[in-house]
Amino acid sequence: MVVDDASSDNSVSQIKQITNSHVHLLRRHLPNAHTGKGDVLNFALDYICQITIRQRVPFEKVIIGVVDADAQLVDNALQRLNAYFSSPRTNITQMRVKMYPHFKNWLQILQDIEFFSINYMAQIMRMYTKTVGLSRNGQFFRLKPTIDKIGAHPWGNALLDDYELTIKMMLKKLHVDYMTDTYVYQEALTSPKRFVRQRSRWVQGDLNCLKYLPEIIKSRILSRTQKLGIYYFLLQPWLNFLADVAIIILTTIALTHWHNLYGHLTLMTFSLVMAGLVVFSLFWRIIFGIFYYHDLAAYHEPPLKKHQLALLPLGISYMYVILFLVL
């Protein structure tokens, strides 16, 4: 099901060139278009349900997958999905996400390490607390339990539609799994301006999800660990903002009181202190870089050049400077 949300490019003409009976082009037209990704997905789901009823296919045998227009599943993805959904106990899974390996600039490399390694480690931790989040692209779920427990239109209007659906599923005792042995490619942004705009929307989407906070607090279905996981996710923009404010204040104090703080140190001692601070601040970025290097090798992805690996910890710091503009 390819949904065109009143696009202004040549998407429709490209899709119409594909002569395949399995491809269904669904079109939304203004003024009933451009109302959010959640509405687009619900629109497609209505059509799928109609076909399912018409063909008398049981809803429990229908698997819904969300793959963005810029995405591509890796070769073993369908095989792994088939193995996963062969068990009647499994309902929802999220694939690992990776950027296409044709990097044009540093920003694309940094998005790849963020998704393929850093987010991957975060999702692994969430597996133990049963708080795995759907991640926009590469999410798959069984139709019947989702519709039965959440309704015919499971997606909401939050800009972070994937995590909003995650919260809805968790509140209805639907467990999200994570697939570590396969992944989906997506296109990385090349422009810092577009990157800031994208992440600003994600932060806004996080704030949209705060409306579920009272229900989360009162829920007797969610465990204490799950609630803490959700609280942490919803608090991230606020925690990041406080951290950035603290960095600005402390840096200002350090610069304005430079002589009082460091004037009595010898050049050698001062150099060692500065080197220690640099190593300390880059420690986790170095660890992430090592994991990323091994992840690329393990999945036979094109490796980075040596100078790119060496500069990776500084690059991750640069990405977080850009993310300050998002907040």
Side-chain angles (χ1 to χ4, degrees):
M1 310 297 166
V2 183
V3 189
D4 177 73
D5 192 37
S7 61
S8 56
D9 57 15
N10 64 340
S11 296
V12 172
S13 61
Q14 291 283 333
I15 295 160
K16 285 182 175 179
Q17 291 177 23
I18 302 171
T19 54
N20 189 320
S21 60
H22 294 294
V23 177
H24 300 251
L25 172 62
L26 312 183
R27 300 188 66 180
R28 282 160 51 93
H29 301 279
L30 293 171
N32 299 315
H34 298 179
T35 56
K37 185 176 177 181
D39 283 349
V40 172
L41 295 172
N42 288 329
F43 177 78
L45 198 62
D46 284 341
Y47 181 75
I48 291 170
C49 288
Q50 290 170 17
I51 290 180
T52 302
I53 293 168
R54 196 182 309 138
Q55 296 183 357
R56 297 180 181 178
V57 177
F59 272 26
E60 56 267 23
K61 290 192 175 183
V62 178
I63 310 299
I64 304 296
V66 179
V67 181
D68 286 350
D70 63 340
Q72 180 182 331
L73 300 176
V74 296
D75 291 341
N76 74 334
L78 293 178
Q79 178 189 8
R80 299 311 306 146
L81 283 167
N82 188 60
Y84 173 83
F85 283 109
S86 291
S87 169
R89 297 179 183 176
T90 53
N91 289 318
I92 315 154
T93 188
Q94 170 61 51
M95 280 186 178
R96 192 175 182 177
V97 179
K98 191 187 184 312
M99 302 298 156
Y100 287 110
H102 52 260
F103 306 124
K104 297 177 182 177
N105 60 18
W106 262 100
L107 185 58
Q108 290 191 313
I109 295 174
L110 297 176
Q111 289 168 83
D112 194 41
I113 186 174
E114 178 192 15
F115 276 85
F116 197 53
S117 293
I118 299 175
N119 286 1
Y120 165 74
M121 287 186 273
Q123 292 279 48
I124 291 293
M125 293 298 294
R126 289 173 186 159
M127 287 174 67
Y128 293 103
T129 58
K130 294 187 177 180
T131 56
V132 172
L134 297 175
S135 184
R136 192 171 70 93
N137 194 12
Q139 52 185 280
F140 292 82
F141 57 84
R142 210 179 291 275
L143 181 59
K144 182 173 173 54
T146 304
I147 285 186
D148 285 351
K149 293 192 176 186
I150 301 177
H153 291 165
W155 286 280
N157 293 319
L159 285 173
L160 209 61
D161 55 90
D162 46 11
Y163 198 72
E164 182 181 23
L165 181 56
T166 302
I167 292 174
K168 286 183 176 182
M169 287 177 165
M170 290 174 67
L171 286 169
K172 298 298 182 180
K173 215 172 183 178
L174 288 171
H175 176 58
V176 181
D177 290 318
Y178 185 60
M179 302 188 78
T180 60
D181 53 357
T182 189
Y183 48 96
V184 57
Y185 287 115
Q186 68 183 42
E187 194 73 34
L189 298 173
T190 57
S191 162
K193 184 178 178 180
R194 290 186 177 183
F195 180 72
V196 168
R197 183 181 176 187
Q198 179 198 64
R199 298 312 168 90
S200 298
R201 288 175 59 83
W202 291 4
V203 170
Q204 185 64 44
D206 193 298
L207 300 180
N208 293 155
C209 292
L210 288 174
K211 65 184 179 183
Y212 293 98
L213 206 51
E215 192 175 352
I216 293 165
I217 293 169
K218 295 175 185 176
S219 174
R220 294 185 179 181
I221 293 174
L222 298 173
S223 68
R224 188 175 298 175
T225 307
Q226 287 177 308
K227 287 184 179 183
L228 287 173
I230 297 172
Y231 296 154
Y232 175 70
F233 189 92
L234 295 178
L235 281 172
Q236 277 186 346
W238 306 92
L239 294 173
N240 291 342
F241 180 75
L242 291 173
D244 288 329
V245 170
I247 290 170
I248 292 169
I249 292 172
L250 292 172
T251 303
T252 303
I253 291 171
L255 292 174
T256 54
H257 295 78
W258 181 271
H259 185 74
N260 294 334
L261 290 169
Y262 308 111
H264 63 284
L265 299 177
T266 63
L267 181 61
M268 177 63 72
T269 305
F270 176 77
S271 300
L272 289 173
V273 169
M274 289 297 107
L277 286 172
V278 169
V279 172
F280 178 76
S281 64
L282 295 179
F283 175 77
W284 281 109
R285 291 156 176 75
I286 294 169
I287 297 297
F288 292 149
I290 293 170
F291 272 99
Y292 180 57
Y293 172 79
H294 286 288
D295 285 342
L296 293 178
Y299 288 91
H300 307 291
E301 291 287 345
L304 295 183
K305 297 175 182 177
K306 290 182 179 179
H307 75 277
Q308 290 175 325
L309 282 171
L311 293 173
L312 205 54
L314 293 173
I316 298 171
S317 302
Y318 165 72
M319 182 172 69
Y320 283 106
V321 170
I322 295 177
L323 289 177
F324 174 69
L325 300 174
V326 169
L327 296 170

